[in-house]
Amino acid sequence: MPLVNMRDMLNHAYQHGYAVGGFDLVSLDFLEAIMAAAEAVQSPVILSLAESHFEYYDFELAMAASEAAAKRSTVPVAIHLDHGASFASAVRAINLGCNAVMVDASHEPFEGNVAATKKVVDMAHACGVPVEGELGYVAGVEGEDAEKHPGEVVYTSVEEAKAYVEQTNVDFLAVSVGTVHGRMRGEPQLDFERLKQINQSLKIPLVIHGGTGLSDEQFSKLIANGVTKINYYTALADAAGNRMRNNVDADARCGYTGIVKGIQDEIHNEVKRCMRNWGSAGKADEVMKHCEHWQPVHHVIIYNVKDTTEEQVKNIMARGEEILSQIPGVRRVITATAIRDDAKYKFSWLIEFVHAKVIDSYREHPDHVAFANDLFRPIAGDRISIDFAQSL
Ligand code: 13P
């Protein structure tokens, strides 16, 4: 199951001087093309789902597809929430299967950004999930993604970056050194000296947003100065858009499948080009060996009840499903009743955690403590509880 810990993936890139693409997907065509490109050049890959794009697709369905794609791939994959707008967004993304999240409070003043980021980091780390923060501001200029990032570019300050990382404990930092979201207007002027100083001062993987439109030489210099994740979207959307316009020009009466025909090839080629340029092509095996494999834990409880009707048990199970599934790091809660009368235990819970770290954070979570002490334990003295992980 080649879903891997993105912290390990990017640390490998940082140590070995290359960058992994964080490619934003907005449809199955994007997902399939990005994965096929990664397989073709044997590159690690980050499937990126941007909250600002959720108006184009159903996040929950896209997560199910992304996870299925990751599970059947032969290259290491991380699934990342891009530009998460709130604490609630980060919890939702983790519970739906993202194994890395970005918290974007970069529009806030420094203290507000630190406070919002730290809250997400504390929660995510308790789930084993690494976090990307952003300091400075990467604005949008032109292209379909640009209006999602209004305002002016604010460059990242070296001193603030140091304080931000110390105070928030983020795993990766997105920096603003002159890139923009969407298409560039004119020749982009990047502040490599600033980037170099940030890298020397932080020594953690750095992230560049707004990858579209940079030259190969600019990418090389970014990577030489600590950039290990490059977010890339507009060029893929434009390649698909151009193909669709050509399809319509060739046959003005074509329907949906005629219009989108061939867009996977365009996206695939551009993703492969990036992977080769950024040095991640051919690194899949090495990265796979270096990374923790992302694995859920099944928290299983089997139990009998005393002095309680089946109706009461049913109500408690329903309350439990509702309350416990909201706790960070809980993927799903399934309650069940034995199907044979002679079963030694009559009821069960299956609670799936995203990562082994959740065993502790779940146990201590106030909603779990209240539910267990007030509703569950008083009726279920006779119980066995075991945490299982799939053998690798
Ligand atoms: P581009 O659309 O400029 O490639 O940027 C993508 C991005 O930074 C997503 O977070």
Side-chain angles (χ1 to χ4, degrees):
M1 197 240 251
L3 250 188
V4 300
N5 191 323
M6 194 167 102
R7 190 188 295 117
D8 297 339
M9 183 195 271
L10 292 190
N11 281 340
H12 186 271
Y14 190 71
Q15 283 153 18
H16 294 84
Y18 67 93
V20 183
F23 298 100
D24 283 314
L25 55 97
V26 289
S27 72
L28 270 185
D29 276 320
F30 278 68
L31 173 60
E32 289 176 48
I34 293 164
M35 288 308 303
E39 293 278 355
V41 299
Q42 285 295 294
S43 169
V45 65
I46 297 166
L47 296 173
S48 200
L49 292 95
E51 186 162 355
S52 56
H53 288 161
F54 290 178
E55 65 184 281
Y56 307 134
Y57 59 83
D58 182 315
F59 180 44
E60 192 173 341
L61 298 184
M63 279 304 302
S66 300
E67 219 177 1
K71 274 185 186 159
R72 73 179 189 192
S73 86
T74 65
V75 298
V77 183
I79 305 180
H80 181 65
L81 172 71
D82 191 19
H83 292 288
S86 65
F87 181 81
S89 316
V91 174
R92 178 167 182 240
I94 290 170
N95 289 6
L96 286 176
C98 281
N99 66 346
V101 293
M102 176 190 187
V103 47
D104 183 359
S106 59
H107 48 280
E108 297 263 358
F110 182 80
E111 282 74 22
N113 189 351
V114 166
T117 305
K118 185 169 175 359
K119 193 171 168 206
V120 170
V121 171
D122 289 347
M123 176 277 295
H125 281 183
C127 298
V129 171
V131 178
E132 172 185 332
E134 177 169 332
L135 187 69
Y137 182 67
V138 178
V141 172
E142 186 184 295
E144 68 174 57
D145 207 25
E147 77 286 356
K148 304 276 170 54
H149 306 277
E152 296 297 312
V153 174
V154 179
Y155 283 75
T156 307
S157 117
V158 182
E159 294 72 32
E160 280 194 349
K162 191 156 175 50
Y164 176 85
V165 171
E166 278 168 10
Q167 289 172 37
T168 61
N169 208 15
V170 286
D171 302 274
F172 329 110
L173 182 66
V175 292
S176 174
V177 292
T179 58
V180 295
H181 282 106
R183 289 181 212 120
M184 300 283 172
R185 205 172 281 153
E187 180 67 16
Q189 300 298 317
L190 303 187
D191 189 341
F192 290 109
E193 187 47 39
R194 182 185 296 266
L195 179 66
K196 187 173 169 189
Q197 287 177 20
I198 294 172
N199 185 34
Q200 282 170 350
S201 142
L202 301 185
K203 297 194 166 52
I204 63 168
L206 302 177
V207 180
I208 282 293
H209 283 246
T212 295
L214 301 179
S215 67
D216 293 354
E217 195 197 336
Q218 285 173 320
F219 280 127
S220 302
K221 278 169 103 173
L222 289 171
I223 294 166
N225 287 294
V227 168
T228 58
K229 172 171 176 276
I230 295 169
N231 284 19
Y232 206 72
Y233 169 66
T234 303
L236 306 182
D238 284 350
N242 288 338
R243 180 55 148 313
M244 288 156 85
R245 274 182 288 276
N246 289 341
N247 288 342
V248 174
D249 286 348
D251 175 4
R253 298 190 64 236
C254 61
Y256 175 80
T257 53
I259 293 173
V260 298
K261 192 169 179 207
I263 67 171
Q264 283 197 29
D265 295 340
E266 305 294 339
I267 297 168
H268 178 122
N269 289 337
E270 180 59 10
V271 170
K272 267 198 314 205
R273 191 185 70 81
C274 291
M275 289 169 162
R276 290 193 178 114
N277 275 344
W278 303 341
S280 67
K283 296 283 195 305
D285 281 355
E286 229 180 284
V287 172
M288 196 83 90
K289 282 188 207 123
H290 174 86
C291 289
E292 175 195 28
H293 287 222
W294 197 255
Q295 225 195 347
V297 164
H298 289 171
H299 180 62
V300 178
I301 302 171
I302 49 176
Y303 64 102
N304 287 318
V305 295
K306 229 173 58 196
D307 308 329
T308 313
T309 64
E310 285 225 7
E311 196 54 32
Q312 284 169 320
V313 177
K314 253 197 207 158
N315 287 339
I316 289 171
M317 283 175 163
R319 283 287 291 148
E321 287 195 11
E322 195 182 310
I323 295 168
L324 304 176
S325 60
Q326 303 303 314
I327 294 176
V330 173
R331 295 276 333 248
R332 54 184 69 91
V333 180
I334 298 170
T335 56
T337 306
I339 52 177
R340 283 178 54 146
D341 288 342
D342 60 353
K344 206 158 169 219
Y345 287 91
K346 189 155 172 43
F347 303 105
S348 74
W349 294 94
L350 168 61
I351 302 164
E352 185 177 331
F353 298 150
V354 300
H355 186 275
K357 281 229 166 162
V358 183
I359 296 170
D360 291 335
S361 55
Y362 170 85
R363 191 186 302 120
E364 290 154 16
H365 194 280
D367 292 346
H368 169 253
V369 173
F371 174 78
N373 287 347
D374 299 346
L375 293 177
F376 181 60
R377 287 177 187 145
I379 62 154
D382 177 17
R383 64 177 186 275
I384 295 177
S385 147
I386 302 178
D387 295 305
F388 293 94
Q390 200 180 343
S391 317
L392 283 176

